[in-house]
Amino acid sequence: MTNESPSVCPAVLSSEDSPQENGVHTNQYSSISPPASPVAQDEPFSTYFEERVPIPDSENQTHRKNILFLFSFRKLWAFTGPGFLMSIAYLDPGNIESDLQSGAAAGFKLLWVLLVSTIIGLLLQRLAARLGVVTGMHLAEVCNRQYSTVPRIILWLMVELAIIGSDMQEVIGCAIALNLLSVGRIPLWGGVLITITDTFVFLFLDKYGLRKLEAFFGFLITIMALSFGYEYVLVKPDQGELLKGMFVPYCAGCGPVQLEQAVGIVGAVIMPHNIYLHSALVKSREVDRKNKKEVKEANKYFFIESAIALFVSFLINVFVVAVFAQAFYSKSNMDVNAMCNKTGSPHTDLFPLNNNTLEVDIYKGGIVLGCFFGPAALYIWAIGILAAGQSSTMTGTYSGQFVMEGFLNLRWSRFARVLLTRSIAITPTLLVAIFQDVHHLTGMNDFLNVLQSLQLPFALIPILTFTSLKSIMNDFANGLGWKISGGILILGVCAINIYFVIVYVTALNSVVLYVLAALLSVAYLAFVAYLAWHCLVALGVSCLDCCSRVSNRPAVLIEEQSEYDS
């Protein structure tokens, strides 16, 4: 069978030839329709949602000219859900570990980096949501139609690597939390198996209704807020130092260690697979893409919801940074060893008798909280980590399904897709859990953070490319300001993360690894250059448009034909 995807540059219909409805062109928001499928067209294929949430009508909407000035809490509630699921990626165990390490290494001085990173993340998530709303397709599906075969496969593999790396951190985080809660009785590999099992169970909660699934994620976010908020109240951070660190973009007395932590914050907050996820989640709302007002309204409410969700995630991250900044900044291993020994902790040997600055991860973080503030602090910390790991593992699985079905155009049963995406991500995690000790996972987390950093261009460049194309976004394509600021933001984020990778590689002290890294870097940079070339053409650098498939010509209606040749 053959199923040819439409080109990105279809023949152009004039606006006079386009059918109109309610004063707007009914064709322009269908310019890249979902592909024809052998399944019945009246029962759309989906992964995350078997239902679509209806949007209530606005009162007196017909008497107001500009939809942007209308606001309805009922409508905001109807659109609430996708942004909070997206925000889970800002609260996963990798982020929590980055938070506590920055607090222990730099005190409150890097809170402004966390704030700026969250704002940048919001702007990038806005692009992802707009792509999904305007086109009715998520980023992986659009990539499948716009890139040729070889680049598309490479892009899919890179995104899968990012998902695997993120999933390993999330599942290991759950396993560490279970180990802490069981006082070491549940080994790391046992925690991984438990996480795999309960994730399968929770993933099918949407069978009971989409809103119930979203409520469950809201419950997990609430647990995180209460757990880390308890630690915050217990430690009583200095509010003046906290506000100074948040709003004064300066780091007095900082050195390479603090700089590395700052870069790590950016890499932990902005995650590549989350762009793909958010562009898919927004499809769960009933929006008539042929109606320009409804599309504009959906974009507005999704942006408001995302801003609220990321504000909540920012506060939770601040709780963690502040706790470790107040209690453990400038503490030495000897200080912690003495306190743990005094309180009778069985984990005193984790902290050698030297004056080196304390280095912590999410496991040791729980231990030192227990030594300084009592067992309750340790167990409540573990509950928060468990909620963070469990929720992010579930959203990571959804990301894997969207990416796989979008890039490969899979039409398997839902269970088969969940099983495949789980297996791809869980297998390396289980191997690490079997052969690695729970006390020595920091090196693995550093490597996984580098892996995430390397994958960022494979999400950020495509989302800027496609949201800048009029042939895809029509009236909702990025304006000049968004193109310039988006390009600068993405260039800055990628440059910061490349610096992080260089710091990591140069610390390996191995000629063989240097040579291998150099060879991989050439291939990596060549592919990034290819994506950047397409992006520059989309941004309007027409002199580069020699044989690119992208175009900024006006979009038209593409009527999908359900014809399959045997």
Side-chain angles (χ1 to χ4, degrees):
M1 295 194 301
T2 60
N3 183 14
E4 295 294 326
S5 300
S7 169
V8 87
C9 306
V12 179
L13 294 178
S14 67
S15 58
E16 292 79 12
D17 296 330
S18 303
Q20 297 190 8
E21 181 178 325
N22 298 328
V24 298
H25 298 297
T26 60
N27 65 340
Q28 59 182 343
Y29 303 108
S30 302
S31 57
I32 48 172
S33 304
S37 173
V39 299
Q41 294 299 311
D42 58 344
E43 190 171 333
F45 173 82
S46 72
T47 297
Y48 161 62
F49 32 79
E50 301 298 337
E51 60 176 302
R52 299 216 174 195
V53 177
I55 306 301
D57 293 330
S58 293
E59 299 83 357
N60 302 321
Q61 178 173 323
T62 55
H63 302 295
R64 305 291 293 273
K65 292 184 178 181
N66 195 333
I67 195 74
L68 290 176
F69 294 112
L70 290 172
F71 185 82
S72 165
F73 283 103
R74 288 179 63 230
K75 284 203 171 189
L76 179 61
W77 177 248
F79 281 104
T80 297
F84 279 89
L85 268 68
M86 167 274 296
S87 73
I88 294 292
Y90 291 73
L91 295 168
D92 71 350
N95 275 284
I96 301 301
E97 182 160 288
S98 175
D99 292 337
L100 65 91
Q101 287 175 344
S102 70
F108 299 97
K109 300 174 185 177
L110 296 178
L111 277 173
W112 65 272
V113 179
L114 177 63
L115 175 62
V116 171
S117 299
T118 305
I119 293 172
I120 292 174
L122 174 62
L123 298 178
L124 295 173
Q125 299 298 158
R126 173 187 180 271
L127 296 181
R130 286 171 70 86
L131 181 73
V133 170
V134 173
T135 67
M137 302 170 68
H138 56 75
L139 180 56
E141 291 176 308
V142 177
C143 289
N144 183 38
R145 284 151 185 76
Q146 310 309 326
Y147 291 122
S148 53
T149 304
V150 174
R152 183 170 70 239
I153 293 175
I154 296 174
L155 193 59
W156 167 63
L157 292 174
M158 293 298 100
V159 178
E160 285 290 349
L161 275 177
I163 292 173
I164 291 172
S166 174
D167 210 41
M168 288 180 71
Q169 289 179 309
E170 293 155 2
V171 174
I172 292 294
C174 281
I176 288 174
L178 291 170
N179 182 274
L180 289 172
L181 289 170
S182 66
V183 198
R185 292 186 179 90
I186 299 178
L188 198 62
W189 61 266
V192 170
L193 291 177
I194 292 172
T195 304
I196 295 170
T197 304
D198 60 31
T199 299
F200 269 109
V201 174
F202 292 143
L203 279 171
F204 288 95
L205 281 177
D206 62 344
K207 290 291 185 183
Y208 298 96
L210 177 60
R211 297 299 268 175
K212 290 184 176 65
L213 176 69
E214 293 173 344
F216 178 69
F217 278 96
F219 171 70
L220 292 177
I221 293 174
T222 303
I223 290 178
M224 284 183 263
L226 293 175
S227 299
F228 301 132
Y230 169 83
E231 310 284 0
Y232 182 85
V233 172
L234 184 66
V235 174
K236 299 182 179 66
D238 186 319
Q239 300 302 303
E241 289 296 316
L242 186 148
L243 292 174
K244 179 181 176 182
M246 190 179 299
F247 295 110
V248 177
Y250 183 67
C251 189
C254 291
V257 173
Q258 288 75 23
L259 179 59
E260 187 175 339
Q261 289 299 328
V263 173
I265 290 172
V266 178
V269 167
I270 303 171
M271 305 182 73
H273 70 275
N274 209 36
I275 304 295
Y276 288 86
L277 175 68
H278 198 197
S279 66
L281 295 178
V282 297
K283 293 168 58 179
S284 61
R285 269 50 182 179
E286 283 186 359
V287 177
D288 182 5
R289 294 187 300 111
K290 297 177 181 179
N291 188 318
K292 185 176 179 180
K293 286 186 177 181
E294 284 197 25
V295 174
K296 186 180 294 186
E297 179 182 69
N299 286 331
K300 178 186 73 173
Y301 281 108
F302 276 131
F303 180 72
I304 295 172
E305 186 234 0
S306 297
I308 295 171
L310 290 188
F311 177 72
V312 172
S313 72
F314 172 71
L315 289 181
I316 295 174
N317 283 314
V318 168
F319 289 161
V320 178
V321 175
V323 165
F324 283 83
Q326 181 70 35
F328 306 114
Y329 176 52
S330 296
K331 285 284 192 303
S332 68
N333 286 323
M334 189 172 293
D335 295 332
V336 178
N337 183 290
M339 181 59 73
C340 289
N341 191 47
K342 181 179 178 180
T343 56
S345 170
H347 304 287
T348 305
D349 58 334
L350 284 176
F351 310 100
L353 289 170
N354 58 46
N355 285 319
N356 293 343
T357 303
L358 174 68
E359 294 183 1
V360 285
D361 51 32
I362 56 176
Y363 178 77
K364 291 180 181 178
I367 298 300
V368 295
L369 284 172
C371 291
F372 279 77
F373 301 101
L378 186 155
Y379 293 124
I380 291 174
W381 168 263
I383 290 171
I385 295 297
L386 182 62
Q390 186 62 72
S391 56
S392 55
T393 299
M394 293 168 64
T395 55
T397 301
Y398 284 125
S399 299
Q401 292 183 64
F402 290 133
V403 165
M404 189 166 289
E405 76 180 27
F407 278 108
L408 304 184
N409 200 24
L410 288 182
R411 291 297 181 264
W412 294 1
S413 70
R414 190 165 185 269
F415 178 79
R417 282 177 285 134
V418 172
L419 183 62
L420 178 61
T421 53
R422 277 286 78 195
S423 300
I424 289 175
I426 288 297
T427 301
T429 308
L430 190 57
L431 292 174
V432 168
I434 292 172
F435 296 106
Q436 184 66 279
D437 184 72
V438 69
H439 302 160
H440 304 93
L441 290 172
T442 302
M444 186 198 73
N445 283 325
D446 289 343
F447 171 76
L448 293 177
N449 285 333
V450 170
L451 181 66
Q452 294 280 7
S453 300
L454 284 170
Q455 309 310 316
L456 266 176
F458 306 128
L460 302 190
I461 295 177
I463 195 65
L464 181 61
T465 300
F466 299 133
T467 54
S468 298
L469 284 171
K470 277 192 172 293
S471 57
I472 292 176
M473 300 293 288
N474 299 281
D475 294 343
F476 296 96
N478 294 330
L480 180 60
W482 263 100
K483 289 178 181 179
I484 295 174
S485 59
I488 293 173
L489 283 178
I490 289 173
L491 185 63
V493 169
C494 292
I496 288 172
N497 282 278
I498 288 173
Y499 170 82
F500 183 55
V501 172
I502 292 173
V503 169
Y504 177 81
V505 172
T506 52
L508 295 175
N509 294 321
S510 170
V511 175
V512 175
L513 292 177
Y514 289 160
V515 173
L516 179 62
L519 294 175
L520 291 175
S521 297
V522 171
Y524 172 83
L525 293 174
F527 187 58
V528 170
Y530 171 84
L531 296 178
W533 166 55
H534 278 270
C535 185
L536 289 172
V537 173
L539 294 177
V541 186
S542 56
C543 61
L544 297 177
D545 191 11
C546 54
C547 54
S548 172
R549 296 179 63 204
V550 301
S551 171
N552 259 316
R553 290 187 292 174
V556 297
L557 177 63
I558 296 176
E559 296 288 351
E560 295 284 358
Q561 302 296 326
S562 299
E563 296 180 359
Y564 287 80
D565 300 325
S566 300

